[in-house]
Amino acid sequence: MDFGDEAPLDEPLAVLCESLNHELRLSPNGRFVLQSQLAGSLANRLRLVDLMARRPEVFRAPVARPLFVAGIPRTGTTFVQKLLSQDPHWRTLPLWETRHPLPDGDLTAPPPDPDPRIDRSRRELRMVHRLLPEQAAMHELVHDEPEEEYPLLAGGHCSSMYENAVLVPAYTRWFTGADHRGGYRLFRRYLQFMQWSRPQGERWALKTPGHLEMLVPLLDTFEDATVVHTHRDPVTSVVSLSNMLSYDARTYFDHPDPHLIGRCAADFTERLLRAAIRDRKVAGDRLVDVFFRELISDPVRELRRVYEVADRELDAGTERAMRGFAEAQGRRAGRHRYAAEDFALSVPELRERFAFYYDFFDLTPEKS
């Protein structure tokens, strides 16, 4: 079987499986879910590489001037992504397509209408909602709304998906020391196939927090990309991320350890922010900083700044759609209650830990 040599596979897969089998105490359900995810990812890669060999013309069109939203969790990345999705000129990735990037059967045939992947994703989400009924209060999943592209990145092992899901120490050590340019080139192949198979919009608008520590391979692969870096007090982000990961961990573990998850969430957040500061010069004037308070105060004003950097015009109809979406979001209910102490986290210690970030961006800590 040919999985291609564009992105690494043998080494990261072996390290990941070693971590899953010997470093963790997965529940039977967790083992089943992870095995299914890995098998699906490998099958997609195998089929994509086969198509690359048989039909190279599918991959000739460039991924032109994409936009990537990146920021640590709870900084407004999802809000920005969904504001962008109000503009039909942007191509976003709906959740069903992130979960099932390749259609069944012949990849060169026109996708059926309706696409069976949509209903499959809808059924999968019903199962998720039964297993994790409070998920929507933390990060709502809707089958036909834009979602993060981390499953596509995971195909080339350039995503922190497995680290965040199950805290795999050996794999994380491999991940943080690896060269991920090949993984991003494979990710670009997925996007090229998607824009050929299902043409929509003029330019991609995508979002994943992990791009923050991947600015070098990201911009090496997408040289004309625009990057939107969203900002907020990282203490708020760490505590919220700890809560979400602890809740989601029940998918994989019978007895998740929220204290361990809190430590890992703080480590992960610091790693992303230090990398983003270190590498932001690579983006030059193609990076735009968006701060949470300003975003919530006047989202359209902030999106105008994004459009200017991305060299796009924000027309009146899209502005109205964005304002309508923002107003509807403000009326939505749903809150999950938690505190730093639930995860053995100290707010003063976190403030000191992230002083480098407050200083660099002249950011004021939020009230606890």
PDB file of all heavy atoms in Angstrom, residues 296-324:
ATOM      1  N   ILE A 296     -15.691  41.717  20.120  1.00  0.00           N
ATOM      2  CA  ILE A 296     -17.044  41.634  20.671  1.00  0.00           C
ATOM      3  C   ILE A 296     -17.738  42.987  20.621  1.00  0.00           C
ATOM      4  O   ILE A 296     -18.948  43.079  20.387  1.00  0.00           O
ATOM      5  CB  ILE A 296     -16.991  41.097  22.120  1.00  0.00           C
ATOM      6  CG1 ILE A 296     -16.413  39.682  22.142  1.00  0.00           C
ATOM      7  CG2 ILE A 296     -18.374  41.114  22.754  1.00  0.00           C
ATOM      8  CD1 ILE A 296     -17.135  38.690  21.252  1.00  0.00           C
ATOM      9  N   SER A 297     -16.967  44.050  20.822  1.00  0.00           N
ATOM     10  CA  SER A 297     -17.541  45.396  20.817  1.00  0.00           C
ATOM     11  C   SER A 297     -18.066  45.781  19.438  1.00  0.00           C
ATOM     12  O   SER A 297     -19.159  46.341  19.311  1.00  0.00           O
ATOM     13  CB  SER A 297     -16.488  46.411  21.280  1.00  0.00           C
ATOM     14  OG  SER A 297     -16.972  47.733  21.135  1.00  0.00           O
ATOM     15  N   ASP A 298     -17.294  45.507  18.398  1.00  0.00           N
ATOM     16  CA  ASP A 298     -17.699  45.881  17.034  1.00  0.00           C
ATOM     17  C   ASP A 298     -17.107  44.869  16.052  1.00  0.00           C
ATOM     18  O   ASP A 298     -16.054  45.101  15.452  1.00  0.00           O
ATOM     19  CB  ASP A 298     -17.230  47.296  16.700  1.00  0.00           C
ATOM     20  CG  ASP A 298     -17.868  47.840  15.432  1.00  0.00           C
ATOM     21  OD1 ASP A 298     -18.339  47.024  14.600  1.00  0.00           O
ATOM     22  OD2 ASP A 298     -17.887  49.071  15.251  1.00  0.00           O
ATOM     23  N   PRO A 299     -17.767  43.742  15.879  1.00  0.00           N
ATOM     24  CA  PRO A 299     -17.198  42.684  15.037  1.00  0.00           C
ATOM     25  C   PRO A 299     -16.991  43.097  13.583  1.00  0.00           C
ATOM     26  O   PRO A 299     -15.999  42.708  12.967  1.00  0.00           O
ATOM     27  CB  PRO A 299     -18.201  41.531  15.162  1.00  0.00           C
ATOM     28  CG  PRO A 299     -19.437  42.132  15.726  1.00  0.00           C
ATOM     29  CD  PRO A 299     -19.030  43.315  16.514  1.00  0.00           C
ATOM     30  N   VAL A 300     -17.883  43.882  13.027  1.00  0.00           N
ATOM     31  CA  VAL A 300     -17.744  44.269  11.627  1.00  0.00           C
ATOM     32  C   VAL A 300     -16.546  45.188  11.437  1.00  0.00           C
ATOM     33  O   VAL A 300     -15.815  45.078  10.441  1.00  0.00           O
ATOM     34  CB  VAL A 300     -19.043  44.919  11.108  1.00  0.00           C
ATOM     35  CG1 VAL A 300     -18.838  45.487   9.703  1.00  0.00           C
ATOM     36  CG2 VAL A 300     -20.176  43.895  11.086  1.00  0.00           C
ATOM     37  N   ARG A 301     -16.315  46.067  12.388  1.00  0.00           N
ATOM     38  CA  ARG A 301     -15.139  46.933  12.300  1.00  0.00           C
ATOM     39  C   ARG A 301     -13.859  46.098  12.261  1.00  0.00           C
ATOM     40  O   ARG A 301     -12.952  46.358  11.460  1.00  0.00           O
ATOM     41  CB  ARG A 301     -15.090  47.885  13.498  1.00  0.00           C
ATOM     42  CG  ARG A 301     -13.868  48.825  13.511  1.00  0.00           C
ATOM     43  CD  ARG A 301     -13.751  49.517  14.848  1.00  0.00           C
ATOM     44  NE  ARG A 301     -13.568  48.539  15.923  1.00  0.00           N
ATOM     45  CZ  ARG A 301     -13.881  48.778  17.199  1.00  0.00           C
ATOM     46  NH1 ARG A 301     -14.418  49.935  17.549  1.00  0.00           N
ATOM     47  NH2 ARG A 301     -13.675  47.849  18.111  1.00  0.00           N
ATOM     48  N   GLU A 302     -13.788  45.078  13.116  1.00  0.00           N
ATOM     49  CA  GLU A 302     -12.600  44.227  13.131  1.00  0.00           C
ATOM     50  C   GLU A 302     -12.480  43.401  11.861  1.00  0.00           C
ATOM     51  O   GLU A 302     -11.380  43.183  11.351  1.00  0.00           O
ATOM     52  CB  GLU A 302     -12.630  43.311  14.364  1.00  0.00           C
ATOM     53  CG  GLU A 302     -12.514  44.055  15.681  1.00  0.00           C
ATOM     54  CD  GLU A 302     -11.274  44.924  15.731  1.00  0.00           C
ATOM     55  OE1 GLU A 302     -10.157  44.368  15.694  1.00  0.00           O
ATOM     56  OE2 GLU A 302     -11.414  46.169  15.796  1.00  0.00           O
ATOM     57  N   LEU A 303     -13.614  42.948  11.329  1.00  0.00           N
ATOM     58  CA  LEU A 303     -13.557  42.193  10.072  1.00  0.00           C
ATOM     59  C   LEU A 303     -13.147  43.072   8.904  1.00  0.00           C
ATOM     60  O   LEU A 303     -12.497  42.593   7.966  1.00  0.00           O
ATOM     61  CB  LEU A 303     -14.907  41.522   9.805  1.00  0.00           C
ATOM     62  CG  LEU A 303     -15.036  40.070  10.284  1.00  0.00           C
ATOM     63  CD1 LEU A 303     -14.162  39.141   9.448  1.00  0.00           C
ATOM     64  CD2 LEU A 303     -14.667  39.935  11.757  1.00  0.00           C
ATOM     65  N   ARG A 304     -13.484  44.351   8.957  1.00  0.00           N
ATOM     66  CA  ARG A 304     -12.995  45.257   7.912  1.00  0.00           C
ATOM     67  C   ARG A 304     -11.476  45.284   7.895  1.00  0.00           C
ATOM     68  O   ARG A 304     -10.847  45.315   6.821  1.00  0.00           O
ATOM     69  CB  ARG A 304     -13.530  46.679   8.139  1.00  0.00           C
ATOM     70  CG  ARG A 304     -14.980  46.888   7.764  1.00  0.00           C
ATOM     71  CD  ARG A 304     -15.298  48.370   7.630  1.00  0.00           C
ATOM     72  NE  ARG A 304     -16.728  48.613   7.763  1.00  0.00           N
ATOM     73  CZ  ARG A 304     -17.316  49.075   8.861  1.00  0.00           C
ATOM     74  NH1 ARG A 304     -16.564  49.369   9.925  1.00  0.00           N
ATOM     75  NH2 ARG A 304     -18.604  49.253   8.907  1.00  0.00           N
ATOM     76  N   ARG A 305     -10.866  45.275   9.057  1.00  0.00           N
ATOM     77  CA  ARG A 305      -9.404  45.249   9.143  1.00  0.00           C
ATOM     78  C   ARG A 305      -8.854  43.957   8.532  1.00  0.00           C
ATOM     79  O   ARG A 305      -7.845  43.968   7.821  1.00  0.00           O
ATOM     80  CB  ARG A 305      -8.958  45.373  10.603  1.00  0.00           C
ATOM     81  CG  ARG A 305      -9.291  46.687  11.257  1.00  0.00           C
ATOM     82  CD  ARG A 305      -8.871  46.718  12.722  1.00  0.00           C
ATOM     83  NE  ARG A 305      -7.491  46.339  12.876  1.00  0.00           N
ATOM     84  CZ  ARG A 305      -7.064  45.270  13.561  1.00  0.00           C
ATOM     85  NH1 ARG A 305      -7.932  44.482  14.187  1.00  0.00           N
ATOM     86  NH2 ARG A 305      -5.770  44.994  13.639  1.00  0.00           N
ATOM     87  N   VAL A 306      -9.525  42.844   8.823  1.00  0.00           N
ATOM     88  CA  VAL A 306      -9.110  41.563   8.255  1.00  0.00           C
ATOM     89  C   VAL A 306      -9.217  41.609   6.734  1.00  0.00           C
ATOM     90  O   VAL A 306      -8.295  41.189   6.011  1.00  0.00           O
ATOM     91  CB  VAL A 306      -9.971  40.423   8.829  1.00  0.00           C
ATOM     92  CG1 VAL A 306      -9.703  39.119   8.083  1.00  0.00           C
ATOM     93  CG2 VAL A 306      -9.698  40.250  10.325  1.00  0.00           C
ATOM     94  N   TYR A 307     -10.319  42.130   6.226  1.00  0.00           N
ATOM     95  CA  TYR A 307     -10.522  42.192   4.777  1.00  0.00           C
ATOM     96  C   TYR A 307      -9.465  43.071   4.114  1.00  0.00           C
ATOM     97  O   TYR A 307      -9.000  42.780   3.005  1.00  0.00           O
ATOM     98  CB  TYR A 307     -11.920  42.722   4.472  1.00  0.00           C
ATOM     99  CG  TYR A 307     -12.973  41.640   4.387  1.00  0.00           C
ATOM    100  CD1 TYR A 307     -13.235  40.806   5.473  1.00  0.00           C
ATOM    101  CD2 TYR A 307     -13.708  41.440   3.226  1.00  0.00           C
ATOM    102  CE1 TYR A 307     -14.193  39.815   5.404  1.00  0.00           C
ATOM    103  CE2 TYR A 307     -14.678  40.452   3.134  1.00  0.00           C
ATOM    104  CZ  TYR A 307     -14.914  39.635   4.238  1.00  0.00           C
ATOM    105  OH  TYR A 307     -15.861  38.651   4.155  1.00  0.00           O
ATOM    106  N   GLU A 308      -9.082  44.155   4.764  1.00  0.00           N
ATOM    107  CA  GLU A 308      -8.070  45.039   4.182  1.00  0.00           C
ATOM    108  C   GLU A 308      -6.737  44.309   4.025  1.00  0.00           C
ATOM    109  O   GLU A 308      -6.089  44.392   2.975  1.00  0.00           O
ATOM    110  CB  GLU A 308      -7.896  46.276   5.069  1.00  0.00           C
ATOM    111  CG  GLU A 308      -6.905  47.278   4.514  1.00  0.00           C
ATOM    112  CD  GLU A 308      -6.796  48.524   5.363  1.00  0.00           C
ATOM    113  OE1 GLU A 308      -7.577  48.662   6.338  1.00  0.00           O
ATOM    114  OE2 GLU A 308      -5.917  49.368   5.082  1.00  0.00           O
ATOM    115  N   VAL A 309      -6.340  43.581   5.059  1.00  0.00           N
ATOM    116  CA  VAL A 309      -5.086  42.834   4.980  1.00  0.00           C
ATOM    117  C   VAL A 309      -5.194  41.713   3.948  1.00  0.00           C
ATOM    118  O   VAL A 309      -4.236  41.410   3.230  1.00  0.00           O
ATOM    119  CB  VAL A 309      -4.708  42.276   6.367  1.00  0.00           C
ATOM    120  CG1 VAL A 309      -3.470  41.382   6.275  1.00  0.00           C
ATOM    121  CG2 VAL A 309      -4.461  43.401   7.361  1.00  0.00           C
ATOM    122  N   ALA A 310      -6.364  41.088   3.864  1.00  0.00           N
ATOM    123  CA  ALA A 310      -6.577  39.982   2.916  1.00  0.00           C
ATOM    124  C   ALA A 310      -6.861  40.464   1.494  1.00  0.00           C
ATOM    125  O   ALA A 310      -7.055  39.639   0.593  1.00  0.00           O
ATOM    126  CB  ALA A 310      -7.731  39.099   3.396  1.00  0.00           C
ATOM    127  N   ASP A 311      -6.898  41.792   1.297  1.00  0.00           N
ATOM    128  CA  ASP A 311      -7.137  42.377  -0.017  1.00  0.00           C
ATOM    129  C   ASP A 311      -8.478  41.927  -0.586  1.00  0.00           C
ATOM    130  O   ASP A 311      -8.586  41.467  -1.723  1.00  0.00           O
ATOM    131  CB  ASP A 311      -5.992  42.033  -0.978  1.00  0.00           C
ATOM    132  CG  ASP A 311      -6.028  42.863  -2.252  1.00  0.00           C
ATOM    133  OD1 ASP A 311      -6.579  43.975  -2.204  1.00  0.00           O
ATOM    134  OD2 ASP A 311      -5.516  42.401  -3.288  1.00  0.00           O
ATOM    135  N   ARG A 312      -9.510  42.073   0.243  1.00  0.00           N
ATOM    136  CA  ARG A 312     -10.873  41.775  -0.186  1.00  0.00           C
ATOM    137  C   ARG A 312     -11.770  42.940   0.187  1.00  0.00           C
ATOM    138  O   ARG A 312     -11.517  43.654   1.160  1.00  0.00           O
ATOM    139  CB  ARG A 312     -11.404  40.510   0.507  1.00  0.00           C
ATOM    140  CG  ARG A 312     -10.989  39.216  -0.151  1.00  0.00           C
ATOM    141  CD  ARG A 312     -11.959  38.094   0.191  1.00  0.00           C
ATOM    142  NE  ARG A 312     -13.315  38.432  -0.188  1.00  0.00           N
ATOM    143  CZ  ARG A 312     -13.801  38.316  -1.421  1.00  0.00           C
ATOM    144  NH1 ARG A 312     -13.031  37.877  -2.382  1.00  0.00           N
ATOM    145  NH2 ARG A 312     -15.030  38.644  -1.690  1.00  0.00           N
ATOM    146  N   GLU A 313     -12.829  43.117  -0.584  1.00  0.00           N
ATOM    147  CA  GLU A 313     -13.791  44.173  -0.301  1.00  0.00           C
ATOM    148  C   GLU A 313     -14.934  43.605   0.526  1.00  0.00           C
ATOM    149  O   GLU A 313     -15.493  42.552   0.197  1.00  0.00           O
ATOM    150  CB  GLU A 313     -14.337  44.763  -1.602  1.00  0.00           C
ATOM    151  CG  GLU A 313     -15.346  45.882  -1.374  1.00  0.00           C
ATOM    152  CD  GLU A 313     -15.876  46.459  -2.674  1.00  0.00           C
ATOM    153  OE1 GLU A 313     -15.361  46.084  -3.746  1.00  0.00           O
ATOM    154  OE2 GLU A 313     -16.823  47.266  -2.607  1.00  0.00           O
ATOM    155  N   LEU A 314     -15.282  44.304   1.594  1.00  0.00           N
ATOM    156  CA  LEU A 314     -16.409  43.903   2.434  1.00  0.00           C
ATOM    157  C   LEU A 314     -17.628  44.692   1.973  1.00  0.00           C
ATOM    158  O   LEU A 314     -17.756  45.892   2.258  1.00  0.00           O
ATOM    159  CB  LEU A 314     -16.099  44.172   3.908  1.00  0.00           C
ATOM    160  CG  LEU A 314     -17.153  43.778   4.942  1.00  0.00           C
ATOM    161  CD1 LEU A 314     -17.528  42.309   4.798  1.00  0.00           C
ATOM    162  CD2 LEU A 314     -16.661  44.063   6.347  1.00  0.00           C
ATOM    163  N   ASP A 315     -18.518  44.034   1.246  1.00  0.00           N
ATOM    164  CA  ASP A 315     -19.663  44.743   0.674  1.00  0.00           C
ATOM    165  C   ASP A 315     -20.780  44.912   1.691  1.00  0.00           C
ATOM    166  O   ASP A 315     -20.797  44.280   2.756  1.00  0.00           O
ATOM    167  CB  ASP A 315     -20.167  44.017  -0.584  1.00  0.00           C
ATOM    168  CG  ASP A 315     -20.642  42.605  -0.282  1.00  0.00           C
ATOM    169  OD1 ASP A 315     -21.669  42.440   0.392  1.00  0.00           O
ATOM    170  OD2 ASP A 315     -19.966  41.646  -0.711  1.00  0.00           O
ATOM    171  N   ALA A 316     -21.737  45.766   1.363  1.00  0.00           N
ATOM    172  CA  ALA A 316     -22.806  46.122   2.296  1.00  0.00           C
ATOM    173  C   ALA A 316     -23.671  44.911   2.658  1.00  0.00           C
ATOM    174  O   ALA A 316     -24.092  44.761   3.819  1.00  0.00           O
ATOM    175  CB  ALA A 316     -23.675  47.226   1.701  1.00  0.00           C
ATOM    176  N   GLY A 317     -23.954  44.049   1.693  1.00  0.00           N
ATOM    177  CA  GLY A 317     -24.787  42.881   1.985  1.00  0.00           C
ATOM    178  C   GLY A 317     -24.111  41.936   2.963  1.00  0.00           C
ATOM    179  O   GLY A 317     -24.764  41.400   3.869  1.00  0.00           O
ATOM    180  N   THR A 318     -22.802  41.739   2.795  1.00  0.00           N
ATOM    181  CA  THR A 318     -22.076  40.877   3.727  1.00  0.00           C
ATOM    182  C   THR A 318     -22.008  41.513   5.110  1.00  0.00           C
ATOM    183  O   THR A 318     -22.120  40.821   6.118  1.00  0.00           O
ATOM    184  CB  THR A 318     -20.661  40.597   3.192  1.00  0.00           C
ATOM    185  OG1 THR A 318     -20.767  39.929   1.932  1.00  0.00           O
ATOM    186  CG2 THR A 318     -19.878  39.732   4.160  1.00  0.00           C
ATOM    187  N   GLU A 319     -21.834  42.834   5.166  1.00  0.00           N
ATOM    188  CA  GLU A 319     -21.839  43.530   6.461  1.00  0.00           C
ATOM    189  C   GLU A 319     -23.151  43.276   7.196  1.00  0.00           C
ATOM    190  O   GLU A 319     -23.154  43.006   8.399  1.00  0.00           O
ATOM    191  CB  GLU A 319     -21.621  45.028   6.263  1.00  0.00           C
ATOM    192  CG  GLU A 319     -20.180  45.435   6.097  1.00  0.00           C
ATOM    193  CD  GLU A 319     -19.983  46.922   6.381  1.00  0.00           C
ATOM    194  OE1 GLU A 319     -20.841  47.515   7.084  1.00  0.00           O
ATOM    195  OE2 GLU A 319     -18.973  47.479   5.925  1.00  0.00           O
ATOM    196  N   ARG A 320     -24.270  43.403   6.470  1.00  0.00           N
ATOM    197  CA  ARG A 320     -25.571  43.178   7.109  1.00  0.00           C
ATOM    198  C   ARG A 320     -25.686  41.748   7.621  1.00  0.00           C
ATOM    199  O   ARG A 320     -26.191  41.505   8.725  1.00  0.00           O
ATOM    200  CB  ARG A 320     -26.709  43.486   6.124  1.00  0.00           C
ATOM    201  CG  ARG A 320     -26.920  44.950   5.864  1.00  0.00           C
ATOM    202  CD  ARG A 320     -28.240  45.193   5.149  1.00  0.00           C
ATOM    203  NE  ARG A 320     -28.261  44.550   3.831  1.00  0.00           N
ATOM    204  CZ  ARG A 320     -27.823  45.130   2.705  1.00  0.00           C
ATOM    205  NH1 ARG A 320     -27.336  46.359   2.758  1.00  0.00           N
ATOM    206  NH2 ARG A 320     -27.900  44.497   1.552  1.00  0.00           N
ATOM    207  N   ALA A 321     -25.230  40.799   6.815  1.00  0.00           N
ATOM    208  CA  ALA A 321     -25.278  39.395   7.239  1.00  0.00           C
ATOM    209  C   ALA A 321     -24.414  39.168   8.475  1.00  0.00           C
ATOM    210  O   ALA A 321     -24.809  38.447   9.397  1.00  0.00           O
ATOM    211  CB  ALA A 321     -24.827  38.494   6.092  1.00  0.00           C
ATOM    212  N   MET A 322     -23.247  39.777   8.514  1.00  0.00           N
ATOM    213  CA  MET A 322     -22.361  39.632   9.669  1.00  0.00           C
ATOM    214  C   MET A 322     -22.985  40.233  10.915  1.00  0.00           C
ATOM    215  O   MET A 322     -22.923  39.645  12.005  1.00  0.00           O
ATOM    216  CB  MET A 322     -21.013  40.289   9.384  1.00  0.00           C
ATOM    217  CG  MET A 322     -20.140  39.526   8.405  1.00  0.00           C
ATOM    218  SD  MET A 322     -18.548  40.382   8.152  1.00  0.00           S
ATOM    219  CE  MET A 322     -17.684  39.176   7.136  1.00  0.00           C
ATOM    220  N   ARG A 323     -23.572  41.414  10.780  1.00  0.00           N
ATOM    221  CA  ARG A 323     -24.210  42.042  11.954  1.00  0.00           C
ATOM    222  C   ARG A 323     -25.379  41.198  12.456  1.00  0.00           C
ATOM    223  O   ARG A 323     -25.561  41.024  13.662  1.00  0.00           O
ATOM    224  CB  ARG A 323     -24.689  43.452  11.605  1.00  0.00           C
ATOM    225  CG  ARG A 323     -23.561  44.439  11.368  1.00  0.00           C
ATOM    226  CD  ARG A 323     -24.058  45.873  11.336  1.00  0.00           C
ATOM    227  NE  ARG A 323     -22.988  46.770  10.933  1.00  0.00           N
ATOM    228  CZ  ARG A 323     -22.026  47.207  11.736  1.00  0.00           C
ATOM    229  NH1 ARG A 323     -22.016  46.820  13.010  1.00  0.00           N
ATOM    230  NH2 ARG A 323     -21.099  48.039  11.287  1.00  0.00           N
ATOM    231  N   GLY A 324     -26.147  40.656  11.532  1.00  0.00           N
ATOM    232  CA  GLY A 324     -27.262  39.805  11.935  1.00  0.00           C
ATOM    233  C   GLY A 324     -26.780  38.562  12.656  1.00  0.00           C
ATOM    234  O   GLY A 324     -27.358  38.163  13.684  1.00  0.00           O
TER     235      GLY A 324
END
